[in-house]
Amino acid sequence: MFDVTQALAALSETLAARELNYELVAVGGSSLVLLGLITRATRDLDIVATVEAGKYIPAASLPEPLVEAVRDIGDVLGIGPHWLNPGPAALLDFGLPEGFAERAEVRSFGALTLHLASRHDQIYLKLYAVVDQGPGSKHVDDLRALEPSPEELRGAAGWARTHDSSPAFREELAAALRLFGVDDADL
């Protein structure tokens, strides 16, 4: 089973031994676990950006020395080479929710620093994921665990529409809101 805290501690030790330091922006289930907002098992840690000189840089690919260290830890812990990955990095193409960086919770693991998406921003990202992956996805349970208010969900829906303004997406978004008892009249 994947223990994100153990994996990050091992990665930090490895990076320090190799005289490397990285600062990353994390979202998704494992970041929710790190924040203590959910307790479900996860398989990986999703990275959307690296942080350079205080700016978020899309993590379409991670620096090779970091990838090597992640792979090495994956081998040692038996969790595979992609337990830390830039899967959702495309989110930066259209932008993270306004104020994301100011709300992010920064956690230091020594040679590794993570900026974890806040509860507020996770609501936005999880609603988008529910629409993208459907009502049977793990994202529905994650979003329920965050106990969003109707106002928070409406705000998240407004942000999600900036990523996809198509009629089909709007229909899926309305259906997702209804799962949480929110009328889509404001869309």
Side-chain angles (χ1 to χ4, degrees):
M1 182 158 143
F2 176 65
D3 179 337
V4 66
T5 304
Q6 176 191 29
L8 290 170
L11 178 60
S12 177
E13 288 177 20
T14 300
L15 293 173
R18 295 176 184 179
E19 298 182 354
L20 299 168
N21 285 285
Y22 291 99
E23 197 168 348
L24 308 171
V25 181
V27 301
S30 288
S31 65
L32 287 169
V33 169
L34 289 168
L35 290 170
L37 297 172
I38 65 168
T39 56
R40 77 168 169 83
T42 60
R43 292 188 316 245
D44 62 0
L45 180 62
D46 297 322
I47 303 301
V48 296
T50 59
V51 182
E52 297 176 20
K55 293 184 179 181
Y56 288 4
I57 309 299
S61 62
L62 297 172
E64 190 56 35
L66 176 59
V67 171
E68 289 172 11
V70 167
R71 186 176 27 245
D72 292 345
I73 296 306
D75 289 345
V76 169
L77 297 179
I79 55 176
H82 305 292
W83 66 268
L84 184 146
N85 64 76
L91 284 171
L92 274 133
D93 293 348
F94 293 101
L96 294 171
E98 183 78 28
F100 181 101
E102 292 78 23
R103 288 186 298 272
E105 186 169 323
V106 179
R107 297 267 178 98
S108 175
F109 293 86
L112 178 67
T113 300
L114 291 180
H115 294 238
L116 302 170
S118 70
R119 176 189 167 278
H120 172 88
D121 296 307
Q122 290 283 9
I123 289 169
Y124 280 48
L125 298 168
K126 285 295 178 178
L127 179 62
Y128 185 79
V130 167
V131 176
D132 184 51
Q133 296 187 13
S137 71
K138 63 189 172 195
H139 304 294
V140 172
D141 292 336
D142 289 350
L143 189 51
R144 283 193 204 291
L146 294 172
E147 299 179 352
S149 70
E151 294 76 26
E152 288 173 317
L153 287 169
R154 285 186 192 100
W159 172 79
R161 295 272 295 149
T162 68
H163 283 246
D164 188 337
S165 60
S166 71
F169 184 83
R170 186 198 180 289
E171 288 177 27
E172 293 297 325
L173 180 58
L177 289 172
R178 286 192 296 276
L179 282 174
F180 294 90
V182 175
D183 183 3
D184 66 335
D186 293 333
L187 290 179

